[in-house]
Amino acid sequence: MNGYISLYGGEPCPPIFRSLIASMEDIMDNHVICAIYRLPDAHKHISRPPQGVKFLKKIVEIGDLKPEPVLWHEDSGRRHHSENGR
């Protein structure tokens, strides 16, 4: 993810913050830091890892995977009750 966080209007905490909505009042005694996120400049997406990245050995094996769930229409209807009786 990339982009830029910059000050809104060049000030970190403008004393008066003008409302962007016509029906709302301006904030006349602002004490909040104001910032805005700007999208990055258009650039080509790099769909490969950066040069020099070292990959770890894959350690997940077929036995690490959960078995597929029983389909609802193949379920016998019997439920195992947990300790709380549900």
Side-chain angles (χ1 to χ4, degrees), residues 17-73:
F17 189 83
R18 301 283 178 211
S19 175
L20 301 175
I21 302 171
S23 62
M24 294 184 71
E25 297 178 13
D26 294 339
I27 298 171
M28 302 305 285
D29 189 22
N30 181 38
H31 295 282
V32 177
I33 295 175
C34 300
I36 189 168
Y37 174 77
R38 296 185 188 276
L39 295 173
D41 298 330
H43 63 281
K44 184 178 177 184
H45 178 70
I46 302 170
S47 58
R48 59 178 166 67
Q51 188 175 4
V53 170
K54 295 180 182 177
F55 291 96
L56 299 174
K57 179 185 170 196
K58 294 181 181 180
I59 57 173
V60 176
E61 297 179 356
I62 202 75
D64 297 324
L65 302 176
K66 290 182 178 180
E68 297 221 9
V70 177
L71 299 175
W72 66 270
H73 61 281

